[in-house]
Amino acid sequence: MAAESQPLAVPAEKSNRQKQVILAVSRLWAWVFLVGLILFFTITVFSTSGGDVNFLTVRNSQNILMAITPVLLMGLGQTFVIIAGGIDLSVGWVMGLASVISALVIADFTNNRGMAETLAIPLGFGVGILSAAIPGFINGLIIAKLSIPPFIVTLGMSFIARGISLLLSGGNVVIGQPPGVRAFGNESLFYLISGEGGGLFFLNRPNVTGEVLQRLDRILPWPVVVAAIVTAVLLFVLHKTQFGRHTYAIGGNREAALRAGVPVDRHVIMLYTLSGITVGFAGVLHTARFNGGSSIAGDPLMLSSIAAVIIGGVSMFGGHGSVAGTVIGALIIAVLTTGLVMLNVLPFYQFVVVGIVVILAVLIDQARDLIIGRIESH
Amino acid sequence: MEPILSARNIVKRFGGLTAVNQVSLDVYPGEVVGLVGDNAAGKSTLIKCISGVYQPEEGEVYFQGQRVHFARPIDARKAGIETIYQDLALAGNLNVPANIFLGREIKKAYLGGVVHTLDEDTMLRESDKLLKDLEIRFPSLHMQIDKLSGGQRQAVAIARAMYWNARFIIMDEPTNNLGVVEQRKVLELIRRLKAQNVPVILISHTLPDVFAVTDRIVVMHRGRKVTEKRTADTNSEEIVRYMVGALDDTRATA
Amino acid sequence: MSKRFVTLLILSLVLLSIVPFAVAQDAPAKPKIGFLPGVVDPFYQVMEIGVNEAVADFGLEVVTQYPQTWGPSVQTPILEAMIARGDLDYLITAPTDKEQMIAPLQAALDAGVKIITVDTFLGDGDYVNGPVTFPISYIGSDNIEGGRIAARALAEVLGGKGKVYIQNTNVGVSTTEQRGQGFKEGIAEFPDMELVGEDYNLDDANTSVEQTAAKLQAVPDLAGIFGVNVFSAYGAGNAVKAAGLEGKVQVIAFDATADAIQNLRDGVVTLVIAQKPHDMGYLAVAFAMADWRGVTSIPKHVTTGYAVINAENVDDPEVAKFIYQVPGQ
């Protein structure tokens, strides 16, 4: 550290302004990138299809929101965990576990016990989310109390959740769901019929068929509404509450947090439990959307969810990141997938691009610190 | 006058090694005591026995006239003994008020106490006032600790201790790794603490610093206290001879 | 941060939601086809060749997308992006789950895209009387019959006795489930044959190798293995090879990939049962074209049959054409 040259007094105004600019760029590049991607796909999809295909449509916006829902929910809990310096690798199979258990409970209570679906569905979803919170709690307990690295503990939990969900489901997709399940997963808050005889409808799907049905778009499907509420709550918790502050503190300097009297062990347990809960939401929403419980629901999405978190600016060393960043990260990945499919490019390019963006995100963070360090030492 | 802190005949062993051997130490109100010694002399171990990090095998600690047992560092802090460690124990990713209030955040209640949010405004205002009282200026309190200089960080750590009504402050190598200007600022802070009647134990390798601010100097060598001098009555040459073991009052009196 | 976040979020949503200007379109003279297989593998790539040949023969356009892994969570976003194009008339797809893909494919139909399922099906595959009737047709192998063929062929090689084992993929996948079922029925025809287990490798070749290796250890006198698809046969064949049991343990491979044929030539695999993915792809496009032209008597279910490949006939051009060969690979 170039300490000699640093007085306690205020550094020059100019370098301060430079710093503000660089900080702003490093914070906003993901937004700019996302908007750029959307513009890119809007133009290329339109022009390569000879004007037949539009990227910017109501339907597509809702598709993208639906596509990010599970990735985002898995990433939200992960955001907290990684900010605090941990990692949760169990999210994929725990999501499958929640999906299977919610479907089993709903099927059993409606088909075998005669419970009304209006009761059985909330019950099943509640049990499903709980079934994901428990492995999260156990993860946290082992990590906090036995000081085993989170990587190992959550990897182990991933296998355990996988085994249990396959055992419970017999490897089958758990079916026999009442109609309300599929409705919750596929119906929406609003319906829009564009063009002739159209309009905006609230809650009740207009009973149309044929060509008019083709013009019907679902605006804010229920899973998107649920994800939005969870996101809003966690945005508040991370950035406005003591819980969030302590999450950052633990990731920034665990020892300092401990000495300052932050109940670190208890907090770590709560963080992994929170991760389990958000994953549980992803699991039960899978059940709803696909009308059945599936143990393999989450595994293919796990790496995407971690990529979303990293693109969003969460440092793997802990201490940095935001809920908004993770939302952007998930949006970037979903826009890429959708855009490339609509461009009729093989979606495998998506992996290449996501890989580049992940590395870019980390590079931008490091470049920021480097440049600011230079400004300060001058 | 009664000592505010009194450690008597402290012994701490690690396996076969006696890190601290029958050391006694008194600190009086408004006094700055320097604790010096070569590496592995037992300074830090002694301090940790006082601040609750270690439990001494033998000996007693009295604070404000009461016999005290600190099972954990937090107990010592609750009693009013703040230790500012070498690594500062600040969260580098948080800003100044967040660090000053870490673990004891001020909150606002909503919905009849169901929801609590951080009261950032109050914490910022309090931090600002506190730092002004200590005559420390920052470009912005919103800056992350990582982006501050070593002296600024030291100031935050001291401010935190002060805010929480520290009645006794232990500082472990506070001027290490600091530039000359910053060193001077930290020493000024120590003088200001003294002026506010807060006693300080200063552990340091840098003898000029020790001579600049202390009232008394305690020298340790291989776990034992080898001398204790009024700063006015000694000089650094003499202290160095104690530090390397060339002089030893306990031997002389034995 | 939060205020900026909300502003930017709203901005993005608005940007995403701008209703595009309506492009006046005359009904095009020819339908546009979408092709969405279950996962990227040689079987579907050969099917794509069939699709492309038919598309060229009828002078149509096709949009093809491959999910990188098997499962509704991956297939559905791709499906929705294809439907969001708004220019497809027919979708030829292999649903990755017979139950879970009903809702997404129903939504595709609601959006005006007609569905033909190939290889795998929805519901119970009976689009006349079954729970799902909206797809135009299901074109695939009779997988129960395929399983029986495998069982009988294995029994013949083993002289009608011995312990056998199934390497399966996922329960819930219509085709492989039925192959397993058919195999069990076939084995039941031989009183001296015993099924000692069935494992699910989740369509992962490494898992398949592991499971098969474990089974070979647990059952030293195992006589035969049935690998129900590309990856399962790959795993079973390679595990047998690794254990040095070529010739002692007979492996029936479902699906005639290059790897399976190589194993056949190496003597690791006794018999390869080839489906006809090329025919499935070609027929599906032909059915779409027929529906477009107003044909109303399209069969709701077509089976495309099998070719049985063994060491003797593998070089016969009439048989070799059923090997899944993707040009350029």
Side-chain angles (χ1 to χ4, degrees):
Chain A
M1 187 181 298
E4 271 81 1
S5 62
Q6 290 178 37
L8 274 176
V10 188
E13 266 301 302
K14 193 180 140 208
S15 65
N16 230 0
R17 236 189 350 260
Q18 278 178 323
K19 253 190 316 201
Q20 296 301 323
V21 170
I22 288 159
L23 283 175
V25 168
S26 71
R27 211 176 292 139
L28 292 176
W29 76 272
W31 290 98
V32 175
F33 188 81
L34 176 64
V35 172
L37 265 187
I38 293 171
L39 289 176
F40 171 78
F41 284 127
T42 304
I43 295 164
T44 52
V45 167
F46 188 79
S47 56
T48 56
S49 66
D52 284 349
V53 181
N54 283 294
F55 182 74
L56 279 181
T57 61
V58 174
R59 169 160 296 158
N60 217 16
S61 70
Q62 301 307 309
N63 281 348
I64 288 169
L65 292 179
M66 276 295 261
I68 70 165
T69 297
V71 174
L72 176 63
L73 284 170
M74 284 168 117
L76 282 175
Q78 188 79 273
T79 301
F80 279 73
V81 168
I82 298 181
I83 286 175
I87 181 96
D88 188 349
L89 297 178
S90 68
V91 291
W93 289 101
V94 169
M95 175 177 159
L97 181 68
S99 173
V100 164
I101 287 180
S102 62
L104 283 170
V105 169
I106 294 168
D108 184 53
F109 275 84
T110 49
N111 302 338
N112 305 336
R113 293 163 207 266
M115 187 188 270
E117 61 171 316
T118 45
L119 289 176
I121 294 172
L123 177 73
F125 285 2
V127 174
I129 291 166
L130 190 69
S131 72
I134 292 169
F137 176 79
I138 296 170
N139 279 337
L141 200 66
I142 296 173
I143 290 162
K145 298 293 182 190
L146 301 180
S147 300
I148 300 176
F151 178 84
I152 308 286
V153 175
T154 57
L155 187 69
M157 185 57 73
S158 171
F159 279 95
I160 293 168
R162 175 180 180 168
I164 292 175
S165 70
L166 287 169
L167 281 172
L168 287 175
S169 65
N172 281 300
V173 169
V174 180
I175 54 172
Q177 304 297 302
V181 170
R182 179 173 163 182
F184 184 75
N186 293 278
E187 296 308 325
S188 58
L189 197 53
F190 298 100
Y191 298 88
L192 179 73
I193 298 177
S194 49
E196 197 182 334
L200 188 66
F201 302 86
F202 180 60
L203 285 178
N204 293 314
R205 175 150 65 107
N207 195 6
V208 292
T209 52
E211 189 272 333
V212 185
L213 179 62
Q214 292 178 23
R215 287 191 273 123
L216 175 83
D217 284 318
R218 291 173 172 81
I219 311 287
L220 298 180
W222 292 112
V224 172
V225 173
V226 171
I229 293 170
V230 174
T231 306
V233 169
L234 293 183
L235 186 77
F236 173 81
V237 169
L238 184 61
H239 302 292
K240 295 288 172 196
T241 70
Q242 188 179 39
F243 186 88
R245 176 61 49 83
H246 288 177
T247 304
Y248 281 105
I250 291 170
N253 187 343
R254 190 175 185 279
E255 195 58 36
L258 203 59
R259 286 185 196 166
V262 174
V264 172
D265 284 357
R266 201 183 71 195
H267 198 87
V268 166
I269 293 170
M270 286 166 78
L271 287 174
Y272 285 92
T273 309
L274 173 70
S275 177
I277 290 170
T278 69
V279 167
F281 272 99
V284 302
L285 290 178
H286 179 96
T287 297
R289 187 170 190 210
F290 294 105
N291 200 26
S294 165
S295 44
I296 62 164
D299 183 52
L301 306 176
M302 186 189 81
L303 286 178
S304 288
S305 76
I306 293 179
V309 172
I310 296 172
I311 292 171
V314 176
S315 162
M316 292 307 275
F317 301 113
H320 298 278
S322 65
V323 166
T326 299
V327 174
I328 298 301
L331 275 173
I332 285 177
I333 293 175
V335 166
L336 269 173
T337 309
T338 306
L340 291 174
V341 169
M342 292 183 78
L343 263 185
N344 203 17
V345 171
L346 278 184
F348 308 126
Y349 286 103
Q350 175 210 343
F351 300 123
V352 179
V353 181
V354 168
I356 292 169
V357 177
V358 165
I359 295 169
L360 195 69
V362 178
L363 278 179
I364 286 176
D365 261 13
Q366 292 190 346
R368 174 197 60 197
D369 291 347
L370 195 74
I371 295 169
I372 286 181
R374 284 221 183 110
I375 292 174
E376 278 179 346
S377 61
H378 277 96
Chain B
M1 193 166 46
E2 280 289 305
I4 186 166
L5 179 103
S6 181
R8 298 195 193 149
N9 303 318
I10 302 291
V11 176
K12 178 68 191 173
R13 297 187 194 91
F14 296 107
L17 175 82
T18 306
V20 175
N21 191 0
Q22 295 284 341
V23 175
S24 296
L25 177 69
D26 290 332
V27 181
Y28 294 88
E31 203 186 20
V32 179
V33 175
L35 183 57
V36 301
D38 205 354
N39 288 335
K43 301 168 297 196
S44 289
T45 309
L46 173 64
I47 289 312
K48 284 174 177 167
C49 287
I50 294 171
S51 64
V53 177
Y54 295 146
Q55 313 305 313
E57 263 93 33
E58 292 172 28
E60 300 108 47
V61 177
Y62 294 85
F63 186 60
Q64 297 182 309
Q66 300 285 315
R67 173 88 192 265
V68 287
H69 296 276
F70 299 134
R72 292 167 305 159
I74 189 77
D75 298 333
R77 296 183 67 206
K78 280 180 183 152
I81 300 176
E82 285 280 348
T83 310
I84 298 170
Y85 289 96
Q86 233 166 341
D87 56 15
L88 295 174
L90 298 175
N93 58 331
L94 299 181
N95 66 15
V96 175
N99 267 285
I100 289 177
F101 288 88
L102 184 58
R104 294 171 282 202
E105 289 82 2
I106 299 175
K107 289 178 280 187
K108 284 186 289 198
Y110 291 97
L111 307 175
V114 181
V115 178
H116 292 269
T117 65
L118 293 170
D119 188 348
E120 306 276 12
D121 294 340
T122 306
M123 288 192 277
L124 182 66
R125 213 167 42 239
E126 292 284 319
S127 304
D128 192 47
K129 184 162 152 280
L130 181 67
L131 291 165
K132 280 207 178 97
D133 287 350
L134 287 167
E135 293 176 36
I136 311 166
R137 268 192 299 275
F138 283 92
S140 160
L141 295 185
H142 291 295
M143 282 175 80
Q144 283 184 12
I145 294 293
D146 276 346
K147 310 272 186 280
L148 298 177
S149 70
Q152 289 170 326
R153 291 183 214 187
Q154 200 73 50
V156 174
I158 293 168
R160 177 161 82 181
M162 292 302 293
Y163 187 83
W164 298 105
N165 285 324
R167 273 169 293 186
F168 193 96
I169 291 182
I170 300 169
M171 298 175 89
D172 193 351
E173 299 284 3
T175 54
N176 247 17
N177 303 323
L178 292 190
V180 179
V181 181
E182 298 221 297
Q183 281 181 6
R184 215 178 302 139
K185 291 274 178 188
V186 172
L187 296 179
E188 266 169 38
L189 278 173
I190 294 172
R191 287 199 196 94
R192 223 164 285 137
L193 292 174
K194 180 180 162 65
Q196 294 181 12
N197 224 25
V198 178
V200 175
I201 293 180
L202 170 68
I203 303 177
S204 182
H205 272 102
T206 322
L207 287 182
D209 289 358
V210 175
F211 276 88
V213 292
T214 58
D215 299 299
R216 270 188 304 135
I217 299 173
V218 171
V219 185
M220 288 184 72
H221 182 66
R222 294 191 181 161
R224 289 177 309 116
K225 182 168 103 175
V226 291
T227 194
E228 181 174 340
K229 302 259 179 204
R230 283 170 44 83
T231 308
D233 298 343
T234 184
N235 56 52
S236 48
E237 201 177 315
E238 188 184 26
I239 293 296
V240 170
R241 298 188 64 188
Y242 279 107
M243 283 168 69
V244 298
L247 289 176
D248 187 341
D249 291 356
T250 53
R251 223 170 9 198
T253 55
Chain C
M1 191 66 206
S2 69
K3 242 183 250 162
R4 185 182 294 128
F5 170 64
V6 172
T7 324
L8 288 174
L9 189 66
I10 290 169
L11 194 75
S12 317
L13 289 182
V14 167
L15 212 62
L16 275 170
S17 307
I18 293 171
V19 185
F21 43 92
V23 181
Q25 286 180 0
D26 301 319
K30 287 187 170 168
K32 193 157 182 174
I33 311 282
F35 178 47
L36 177 62
V39 71
V40 59
D41 77 9
F43 176 84
Y44 289 119
Q45 285 166 325
V46 171
M47 192 187 290
E48 187 189 350
I49 293 171
V51 167
N52 289 342
E53 281 177 16
V55 160
D57 288 353
F58 293 111
L60 309 178
E61 267 185 87
V62 66
V63 173
T64 300
Q65 288 291 331
Y66 281 97
Q68 76 280 10
T69 37
W70 182 272
S73 326
V74 182
Q75 194 179 32
T76 305
I78 298 174
L79 166 70
E80 294 189 333
M82 290 176 81
I83 300 308
R85 293 176 58 91
D87 64 342
L88 298 183
D89 300 291
Y90 293 90
L91 182 76
I92 297 167
T93 187
T96 49
D97 188 277
K98 62 186 179 192
E99 298 294 336
Q100 295 196 87
M101 287 311 292
I102 295 173
L105 286 170
Q106 173 74 57
L109 181 71
D110 289 348
V113 181
K114 294 185 174 179
I115 310 295
I116 295 170
T117 68
V118 282
D119 180 41
T120 55
F121 55 79
L122 292 177
D124 61 3
D126 180 352
Y127 295 157
V128 182
N129 300 312
V132 179
T133 55
F134 66 80
I136 294 173
S137 185
Y138 161 46
I139 304 165
S141 305
D142 180 343
N143 284 290
I144 294 181
E145 186 56 29
R148 287 198 203 104
I149 290 171
R152 286 171 196 146
L154 187 57
E156 197 183 320
V157 177
L158 297 176
K161 61 177 190 293
K163 291 178 179 172
V164 295
Y165 163 68
I166 303 173
Q167 254 301 304
N168 211 325
T169 57
N170 296 294
V171 190
V173 180
S174 56
T175 50
T176 50
E177 216 173 50
Q178 291 184 333
R179 284 173 213 162
Q181 186 196 333
F183 184 79
K184 286 172 204 162
E185 288 175 17
I187 290 298
E189 293 166 8
F190 301 90
D192 291 334
M193 294 189 77
E194 184 196 352
L195 181 71
V196 294
E198 179 173 14
D199 281 319
Y200 295 90
N201 55 46
L202 305 180
D203 216 13
D204 179 81
N206 289 321
T207 308
S208 172
V209 172
E210 277 170 32
Q211 290 174 343
T212 306
K215 204 66 183 182
L216 288 170
Q217 295 233 316
V219 186
D221 56 343
L222 192 68
I225 304 172
F226 174 41
V228 302
N229 79 339
V230 174
F231 291 132
S232 307
Y234 176 88
N238 283 311
V240 167
K241 203 190 249 182
L245 293 170
E246 294 115 300
K248 293 202 181 76
V249 179
Q250 309 298 330
V251 178
I252 307 290
F254 212 93
D255 284 330
T257 61
D259 189 73
I261 296 302
Q262 189 57 50
N263 283 345
L264 179 72
R265 291 186 196 279
D266 293 350
V268 177
V269 164
T270 316
L271 206 84
V272 174
I273 295 169
Q275 302 185 69
K276 298 180 176 173
H278 170 277
D279 296 7
M280 293 177 200
Y282 195 98
L283 262 181
V285 176
F287 280 13
M289 197 61 206
D291 182 78
W292 182 259
R293 290 270 162 78
V295 174
T296 56
S297 55
I298 298 168
K300 285 286 199 179
H301 183 193
V302 175
T303 56
T304 44
Y306 293 96
V308 178
I309 307 175
N310 58 30
E312 282 78 55
N313 67 12
V314 65
D315 293 316
D316 179 349
E318 276 307 301
V319 174
K321 73 180 181 191
F322 293 113
I323 297 170
Y324 309 166
Q325 262 159 355
V326 185
Q329 288 198 349

